[in-house]
Amino acid sequence: MQTSWPGHYYDGRTSTRHAVTVFLTPSGLEISLSDGSRIFWPYHELTQTQGGYEHEPARLERGQTNPASLVVEDPGFLPSMRTIAQREGRQFRGLREFPRGARVIVLAGVASLALLGVLILWGIPALAELVTPLVPTTWETALGNSIIPELAPVDLRCGSRRLRENVDKIVTRLGAAGPPTPYTFRVTIVESPVFNALAAPGGSIILFRPLVRSTETPEELAGVLAHEMQHVRLRHATKALVRDLSMAAIAGAVLGDVSGIGAFAVQAGRTLTTLHHSRGAEEEADREGMRLIQAAQIDPSGMIRFFETVKAKTANAELPGYLSTHPETDQRLARLKALAAEVPVHSTPLLPDGRWEDVKNLCQ
Ligand SMILES: [Zn+2]
């Protein structure tokens, strides 16, 4: 059996991606860095946070507040680790792994239906934690697609090609800097009086126009996008939908139950626009968002400046939407500044030709 694997290691304090070799030993992982140093991770201290689905790289984390993480792309890694760990009776926390291939969705469906029974019987919101990792990425995308028309009606979408190209450029740079993800990020900008941004399951991000126009630089918008991309990657919206709507409604939407889909989309859209992520989820999206900004060599002061704008608007009570969904801005700013100070970034401008002032006001 193969016992060494290439991977990437993030130390949890800086955004640097270290190429490493991972060795499977009976009691844990040995991570060998390029400078020759080695780190040992006992199996019982690990949490698997990604890798439950086909084509999704394995991600393991260790530690509480700023967990270090390890990403291994080879699909053979997790089964081998499981085999070795189990042979030694070692356990680690994490996702259940589904067999790869066509059976994945079917089995996930069966598992979800079994949990559906439990949800109907007990209806315990905490079960969202258990069910969410079982929802396949393909379901998340289907869910997102069914909700987007509700959140972003076609006639209110900004169709400006120049605006879209500039925003896509930012998303591409962020996406390329982050760990591999099964999601495709798509941004839709919507004409609306509301100052808000939100992430639907599966990769769709909606920006409401007042938020875009409030940004003074593309780096500020990158801060918002990085935060929302991490909500997607961490499945926060999916968890909220699983918590607030019944699994039956979600299954119906995914499987194309046409009779119920209109009502479902309205309800799901309402859930997302009035969404209260837990404080923990917000902090996670902030922290991982800032890391993404740093990894992409984007000036982190943009993200901080954006939340300073949010703070000013909060003080003027202009912000019922974003305020209600996001944590105390002073604490958040302090945390973001601390994170930014940890890593010196040699940033390169997002849009070297400037002219954000014109671009951000475009719509049609
Ligand atoms: Zn958020």
Side-chain angles (χ1 to χ4, degrees):
M1 185 192 286
Q2 184 178 347
T3 54
S4 76
W5 312 79
H8 287 103
Y9 174 77
Y10 303 83
D11 65 12
R13 283 168 285 119
T14 65
S15 61
T16 314
R17 193 167 91 134
H18 301 275
V20 295
T21 307
V22 186
F23 296 90
L24 293 173
T25 80
S27 54
L29 301 178
E30 207 169 87
I31 302 166
S32 168
L33 283 87
S34 57
D35 64 3
S37 60
R38 290 194 168 212
I39 300 166
F40 184 72
W41 281 15
Y43 290 124
H44 65 271
E45 290 180 11
L46 305 186
T47 301
Q48 183 195 336
T49 55
Q50 277 183 23
Y53 305 107
E54 198 176 15
H55 306 311
E56 192 181 51
R59 186 184 178 93
L60 298 162
E61 295 187 356
R62 182 186 181 215
Q64 285 301 318
T65 39
N66 286 320
S69 49
L70 175 73
V71 177
V72 179
E73 296 217 34
D74 191 316
F77 171 72
L78 272 179
S80 296
M81 181 175 95
R82 219 169 279 275
T83 305
I84 290 183
Q86 274 164 8
R87 201 158 57 203
E88 298 294 321
R90 313 276 173 166
Q91 289 296 325
F92 57 93
R93 295 178 297 272
L95 305 168
R96 290 191 29 211
E97 197 184 6
F98 299 117
R100 303 191 178 272
R103 286 177 300 161
V104 167
I105 289 176
V106 175
L107 283 178
V110 170
S112 301
L113 288 176
L115 278 161
L116 163 65
V118 177
L119 280 171
I120 289 169
L121 281 175
W122 294 323
I124 303 170
L127 282 175
E129 295 284 342
L130 292 175
V131 177
T132 305
L134 297 173
V135 177
T137 320
T138 47
W139 281 39
E140 291 190 280
T141 309
L143 259 183
N145 290 345
S146 72
I147 305 169
I148 295 307
E150 195 58 41
L151 297 172
V154 175
D155 54 338
L156 295 181
R157 293 180 197 178
C158 291
S160 159
R161 192 169 156 180
R162 188 164 159 225
L163 174 66
R164 208 177 50 232
E165 281 173 356
N166 279 284
V167 172
D168 285 349
K169 217 180 273 178
I170 302 174
V171 173
T172 305
R173 181 143 149 204
L174 287 168
T181 147
Y183 303 108
T184 305
F185 296 102
R186 288 172 304 274
V187 178
T188 308
I189 298 172
V190 183
E191 186 73 87
S192 159
V194 182
F195 182 104
N196 206 355
L198 54 89
S204 287
I205 292 167
I206 300 191
L207 301 176
F208 295 91
R209 219 180 145 208
L211 184 149
V212 179
R213 295 177 68 161
S214 81
T215 58
E216 280 172 25
T217 60
E219 279 75 11
E220 290 186 33
L221 191 71
V224 180
L225 289 168
H227 175 94
E228 298 300 333
M229 285 165 79
Q230 296 296 12
H231 274 316
V232 170
R233 195 178 66 76
L234 298 160
R235 302 188 165 205
H236 290 154
T238 307
K239 198 180 292 174
L241 291 178
V242 169
R243 191 181 54 212
D244 288 9
L245 308 171
S246 78
M247 203 60 210
I250 289 176
V254 169
L255 301 172
D257 170 8
V258 187
S259 61
I261 205 153
F264 169 83
V266 170
Q267 203 186 355
R270 202 172 297 144
T271 291
L272 286 188
T273 39
T274 59
L275 184 55
H276 292 253
H277 284 307
S278 69
R279 175 157 300 197
E282 287 303 341
E283 288 180 14
E284 206 180 2
D286 273 356
R287 188 185 65 225
E288 296 297 317
M290 179 54 91
R291 287 205 184 131
L292 190 55
I293 288 284
Q294 291 165 326
Q297 308 287 316
I298 294 170
D299 181 357
S301 64
M303 184 169 183
I304 293 167
R305 231 174 9 249
F306 172 77
F307 285 109
E308 274 164 353
T309 308
V310 171
K311 185 184 165 186
K313 285 186 182 291
T314 307
N316 298 329
E318 287 174 49
L319 267 192
Y322 220 58
L323 169 63
S324 65
T325 60
H326 287 82
E328 199 56 55
T329 40
D330 279 328
Q331 290 173 20
R332 140 179 268 170
L333 276 168
R335 270 195 308 269
L336 287 172
K337 284 176 183 168
L339 283 170
E342 282 174 9
V343 185
V345 170
H346 303 288
S347 56
T348 48
L350 272 166
L351 305 174
D353 53 345
R355 322 250 1 187
W356 181 245
E357 205 53 37
D358 303 337
V359 170
K360 72 176 188 186
N361 287 314
L362 294 169
C363 188
Q364 294 313 328

